[in-house]
Amino acid sequence: MSIREASNARRRMAIIDAAHAIMSQKGLQALNIRDIGKACGCAPGTIYTHFEDLDTLILHANSRTLNQLAQVLEAVDEKGQGRAVPDRLCEMADAYLDFALANRAAWQALFEHQMERPIPQWHRDDHFRLFGSIARLLLLHTAGLDEARVQLVARGLYSSVHGIVSLGTAPRLLRLSDRDIRWQMHLVIHGMLNQLSRENGTGQ
Amino acid sequence: MSIREASNARRRMAIIDAAHAIMSQKGLQALNIRDIGKACGCAPGTIYTHFEDLDTLILHANSRTLNQLAQVLEAVDEKGQGRAVPDRLCEMADAYLDFALANRAAWQALFEHQMERPIPQWHRDDHFRLFGSIARLLLLHTAGLDEARVQLVARGLYSSVHGIVSLGTAPRLLRLSDRDIRWQMHLVIHGMLNQLSRENGTGQ
DNA sequence: ATCGAAAACTGATCGACGATCAATTTTCGA
DNA sequence: TCGAAAATTGATCGTCGATCAGTTTTCGAT
């Protein structure tokens, strides 16, 4: 790797670091090119030689958050080997809530951010990775279900938990207690799994 | 009502109309003071004699959307008198999906919008009104549950459906078909209701 | 090692934004 | 009818994302 390539890679990483740090601390709304430049020691214009625009840079910062989150969920997955699937899914949901609370600004940025151009595939894949852990657990629990159905249930489960965490922690609608949020999540998870078994006559 | 009061009320309404129209057509991101002024025939500065800032104006436009949505849900509620509660809740979820698709930009603005100052109570109430129809239906279905529990389940149900619609229709994560989204919603609703009955030994 | 080309970097600058303000016009009540 | 109060205007301020001419650094061929 040439001097220039190494320098570019270092600079590129420093810019994402700075963006992710500001985003985590002050939120997506407070993120701007000039502060990122100051934080990583370069001029505003320089950032545009490494990233097409601010939106693209945000995608990279968001992907970092997604990978952190995926690691957390996968760790919970591995830790629960051999235990009952519903309990393990509830633990993953709890971990999701904990992550959202501990990394509120960065987590919110994942869903706040909107861009006009289509989202590139590499970033989509980082998102889909979250469904992976859930789908693997579901496969253990629902023997007779085809692959596509399992994917759909996994995404539905994730979406429901996300909705509960999202609206449960929103100041917009009176913040619920962690206890109440967890209760909602567990109700949905157990309900969905039981309903699946009931409709398919498998598992349980 | 004096000439001045009437004029102010008319102007105020025209501003909200313009903001809501632009928001519905071009999205929250495209909304700006100058275009609102042009659309309702006044100078940018005039808007600030009627609203504290753009955020406050957006709240009023969002409340208009919330009331439209609440009317739709309440209409579904009344239409289903006498039918089974789970089916009526599924119909409400379907109506929520239909509204989100038919009023995509305005619906997204409800959750995209963030402001630093606390959200005023009158706007919160417009949001809580959405839970009302659900809670009323749940009361019919879960005889033994206390008021607070019913409220929590209603909010959990709404949050889950919202999460499914939100992530199911997000271009960010490959748009699902309407069929798949409805299937996810129905699974969650039936699952939650059955789970409630199972845990409480009532209803059903 | 040297030098022309290419890439990276800088900071001033552009147009658009939310918000403000002095100046002007309109409305009110006495 | 007239002075005060309110409403309106459009220029203006500071900030934003993005661009660009000018400069510095790095590369590869000789």
mmCIF file of all heavy atoms in Angstrom, chain A residues 83-102:
data_model
loop_
_atom_site.group_PDB
_atom_site.id
_atom_site.type_symbol
_atom_site.label_atom_id
_atom_site.label_comp_id
_atom_site.label_asym_id
_atom_site.label_seq_id
_atom_site.Cartn_x
_atom_site.Cartn_y
_atom_site.Cartn_z
ATOM 1 N N ARG A 83 -30.633 -22.929 25.383
ATOM 2 C CA ARG A 83 -31.817 -22.498 26.134
ATOM 3 C C ARG A 83 -33.031 -22.419 25.203
ATOM 4 O O ARG A 83 -32.923 -22.555 23.985
ATOM 5 C CB ARG A 83 -31.553 -21.121 26.753
ATOM 6 C CG ARG A 83 -30.236 -21.059 27.570
ATOM 7 C CD ARG A 83 -30.481 -20.633 28.994
ATOM 8 N NE ARG A 83 -31.428 -19.534 29.070
ATOM 9 C CZ ARG A 83 -31.091 -18.251 28.857
ATOM 10 N NH1 ARG A 83 -29.847 -17.945 28.572
ATOM 11 N NH2 ARG A 83 -31.987 -17.308 28.955
ATOM 12 N N ALA A 84 -34.215 -22.174 25.791
ATOM 13 C CA ALA A 84 -35.451 -22.121 25.009
ATOM 14 C C ALA A 84 -35.439 -20.908 24.081
ATOM 15 O O ALA A 84 -35.022 -19.814 24.478
ATOM 16 C CB ALA A 84 -36.650 -22.049 25.948
ATOM 17 N N VAL A 85 -35.916 -21.123 22.863
ATOM 18 C CA VAL A 85 -35.874 -20.065 21.845
ATOM 19 C C VAL A 85 -36.625 -18.796 22.257
ATOM 20 O O VAL A 85 -36.097 -17.691 22.103
ATOM 21 C CB VAL A 85 -36.398 -20.606 20.497
ATOM 22 C CG1 VAL A 85 -36.619 -19.468 19.508
ATOM 23 C CG2 VAL A 85 -35.421 -21.627 19.934
ATOM 24 N N PRO A 86 -37.861 -18.922 22.784
ATOM 25 C CA PRO A 86 -38.585 -17.701 23.159
ATOM 26 C C PRO A 86 -37.810 -16.859 24.161
ATOM 27 O O PRO A 86 -37.758 -15.624 24.046
ATOM 28 C CB PRO A 86 -39.875 -18.246 23.782
ATOM 29 C CG PRO A 86 -40.063 -19.595 23.171
ATOM 30 C CD PRO A 86 -38.687 -20.143 22.991
ATOM 31 N N ASP A 87 -37.189 -17.503 25.142
ATOM 32 C CA ASP A 87 -36.412 -16.763 26.135
ATOM 33 C C ASP A 87 -35.226 -16.060 25.489
ATOM 34 O O ASP A 87 -34.888 -14.926 25.836
ATOM 35 C CB ASP A 87 -35.918 -17.716 27.235
ATOM 36 C CG ASP A 87 -37.061 -18.255 28.073
ATOM 37 O OD1 ASP A 87 -38.152 -17.642 28.027
ATOM 38 O OD2 ASP A 87 -36.877 -19.273 28.760
ATOM 39 N N ARG A 88 -34.593 -16.750 24.549
ATOM 40 C CA ARG A 88 -33.435 -16.151 23.885
ATOM 41 C C ARG A 88 -33.850 -14.960 23.029
ATOM 42 O O ARG A 88 -33.137 -13.962 22.939
ATOM 43 C CB ARG A 88 -32.734 -17.211 23.025
ATOM 44 C CG ARG A 88 -32.075 -18.300 23.860
ATOM 45 C CD ARG A 88 -31.666 -19.492 23.031
ATOM 46 N NE ARG A 88 -30.510 -19.198 22.173
ATOM 47 C CZ ARG A 88 -29.988 -20.074 21.321
ATOM 48 N NH1 ARG A 88 -30.508 -21.285 21.221
ATOM 49 N NH2 ARG A 88 -28.956 -19.744 20.581
ATOM 50 N N LEU A 89 -35.014 -15.060 22.405
ATOM 51 C CA LEU A 89 -35.505 -13.921 21.616
ATOM 52 C C LEU A 89 -35.844 -12.737 22.517
ATOM 53 O O LEU A 89 -35.597 -11.580 22.162
ATOM 54 C CB LEU A 89 -36.728 -14.333 20.797
ATOM 55 C CG LEU A 89 -36.411 -15.153 19.544
ATOM 56 C CD1 LEU A 89 -37.696 -15.680 18.907
ATOM 57 C CD2 LEU A 89 -35.619 -14.331 18.543
ATOM 58 N N CYS A 90 -36.400 -13.042 23.695
ATOM 59 C CA CYS A 90 -36.693 -11.967 24.647
ATOM 60 C C CYS A 90 -35.411 -11.302 25.111
ATOM 61 O O CYS A 90 -35.353 -10.075 25.269
ATOM 62 C CB CYS A 90 -37.468 -12.520 25.854
ATOM 63 S SG CYS A 90 -39.220 -12.817 25.510
ATOM 64 N N GLU A 91 -34.369 -12.096 25.301
ATOM 65 C CA GLU A 91 -33.084 -11.522 25.704
ATOM 66 C C GLU A 91 -32.518 -10.630 24.619
ATOM 67 O O GLU A 91 -31.910 -9.588 24.890
ATOM 68 C CB GLU A 91 -32.088 -12.639 26.037
ATOM 69 C CG GLU A 91 -32.075 -13.021 27.509
ATOM 70 C CD GLU A 91 -30.905 -13.936 27.839
ATOM 71 O OE1 GLU A 91 -29.758 -13.550 27.521
ATOM 72 O OE2 GLU A 91 -31.150 -15.029 28.378
ATOM 73 N N MET A 92 -32.707 -11.042 23.368
ATOM 74 C CA MET A 92 -32.227 -10.206 22.267
ATOM 75 C C MET A 92 -32.999 -8.894 22.223
ATOM 76 O O MET A 92 -32.425 -7.821 21.976
ATOM 77 C CB MET A 92 -32.360 -10.953 20.937
ATOM 78 C CG MET A 92 -31.312 -12.041 20.763
ATOM 79 S SD MET A 92 -31.348 -12.795 19.106
ATOM 80 C CE MET A 92 -30.985 -11.369 18.113
ATOM 81 N N ALA A 93 -34.300 -8.974 22.454
ATOM 82 C CA ALA A 93 -35.116 -7.755 22.486
ATOM 83 C C ALA A 93 -34.658 -6.841 23.619
ATOM 84 O O ALA A 93 -34.540 -5.624 23.448
ATOM 85 C CB ALA A 93 -36.584 -8.116 22.645
ATOM 86 N N ASP A 94 -34.394 -7.440 24.794
ATOM 87 C CA ASP A 94 -33.898 -6.650 25.925
ATOM 88 C C ASP A 94 -32.590 -5.962 25.550
ATOM 89 O O ASP A 94 -32.372 -4.790 25.869
ATOM 90 C CB ASP A 94 -33.677 -7.560 27.139
ATOM 91 C CG ASP A 94 -34.999 -8.015 27.750
ATOM 92 O OD1 ASP A 94 -36.043 -7.442 27.389
ATOM 93 O OD2 ASP A 94 -34.970 -8.934 28.590
ATOM 94 N N ALA A 95 -31.729 -6.714 24.857
ATOM 95 C CA ALA A 95 -30.441 -6.147 24.447
ATOM 96 C C ALA A 95 -30.642 -5.002 23.460
ATOM 97 O O ALA A 95 -29.913 -4.003 23.489
ATOM 98 C CB ALA A 95 -29.561 -7.228 23.836
ATOM 99 N N TYR A 96 -31.655 -5.166 22.608
ATOM 100 C CA TYR A 96 -31.965 -4.103 21.643
ATOM 101 C C TYR A 96 -32.385 -2.837 22.378
ATOM 102 O O TYR A 96 -31.918 -1.733 22.074
ATOM 103 C CB TYR A 96 -33.067 -4.556 20.687
ATOM 104 C CG TYR A 96 -33.332 -3.613 19.537
ATOM 105 C CD1 TYR A 96 -32.511 -3.603 18.423
ATOM 106 C CD2 TYR A 96 -34.397 -2.720 19.573
ATOM 107 C CE1 TYR A 96 -32.742 -2.737 17.366
ATOM 108 C CE2 TYR A 96 -34.633 -1.846 18.523
ATOM 109 C CZ TYR A 96 -33.808 -1.859 17.422
ATOM 110 O OH TYR A 96 -34.047 -0.993 16.389
ATOM 111 N N LEU A 97 -33.252 -3.008 23.368
ATOM 112 C CA LEU A 97 -33.683 -1.860 24.172
ATOM 113 C C LEU A 97 -32.495 -1.222 24.888
ATOM 114 O O LEU A 97 -32.334 0.005 24.867
ATOM 115 C CB LEU A 97 -34.728 -2.303 25.202
ATOM 116 C CG LEU A 97 -35.134 -1.259 26.241
ATOM 117 C CD1 LEU A 97 -35.760 -0.037 25.574
ATOM 118 C CD2 LEU A 97 -36.103 -1.851 27.271
ATOM 119 N N ASP A 98 -31.661 -2.056 25.502
ATOM 120 C CA ASP A 98 -30.498 -1.531 26.222
ATOM 121 C C ASP A 98 -29.588 -0.736 25.289
ATOM 122 O O ASP A 98 -29.100 0.339 25.644
ATOM 123 C CB ASP A 98 -29.707 -2.684 26.868
ATOM 124 C CG ASP A 98 -30.475 -3.324 28.002
ATOM 125 O OD1 ASP A 98 -31.411 -2.681 28.529
ATOM 126 O OD2 ASP A 98 -30.156 -4.473 28.371
ATOM 127 N N PHE A 99 -29.373 -1.294 24.084
ATOM 128 C CA PHE A 99 -28.510 -0.602 23.126
ATOM 129 C C PHE A 99 -29.116 0.735 22.730
ATOM 130 O O PHE A 99 -28.420 1.753 22.656
ATOM 131 C CB PHE A 99 -28.296 -1.472 21.888
ATOM 132 C CG PHE A 99 -27.323 -0.886 20.897
ATOM 133 C CD1 PHE A 99 -25.976 -1.197 20.972
ATOM 134 C CD2 PHE A 99 -27.761 -0.011 19.906
ATOM 135 C CE1 PHE A 99 -25.068 -0.654 20.071
ATOM 136 C CE2 PHE A 99 -26.853 0.540 19.004
ATOM 137 C CZ PHE A 99 -25.512 0.215 19.086
ATOM 138 N N ALA A 100 -30.419 0.731 22.486
ATOM 139 C CA ALA A 100 -31.090 1.970 22.072
ATOM 140 C C ALA A 100 -30.985 3.038 23.150
ATOM 141 O O ALA A 100 -30.800 4.219 22.861
ATOM 142 C CB ALA A 100 -32.557 1.694 21.744
ATOM 143 N N LEU A 101 -31.081 2.603 24.414
ATOM 144 C CA LEU A 101 -31.003 3.562 25.518
ATOM 145 C C LEU A 101 -29.573 4.048 25.741
ATOM 146 O O LEU A 101 -29.341 5.228 25.998
ATOM 147 C CB LEU A 101 -31.546 2.931 26.802
ATOM 148 C CG LEU A 101 -33.046 2.634 26.795
ATOM 149 C CD1 LEU A 101 -33.462 1.888 28.060
ATOM 150 C CD2 LEU A 101 -33.850 3.917 26.633
ATOM 151 N N ALA A 102 -28.620 3.123 25.609
ATOM 152 C CA ALA A 102 -27.219 3.464 25.880
ATOM 153 C C ALA A 102 -26.598 4.246 24.724
ATOM 154 O O ALA A 102 -25.632 4.981 24.921
ATOM 155 C CB ALA A 102 -26.412 2.199 26.154
#
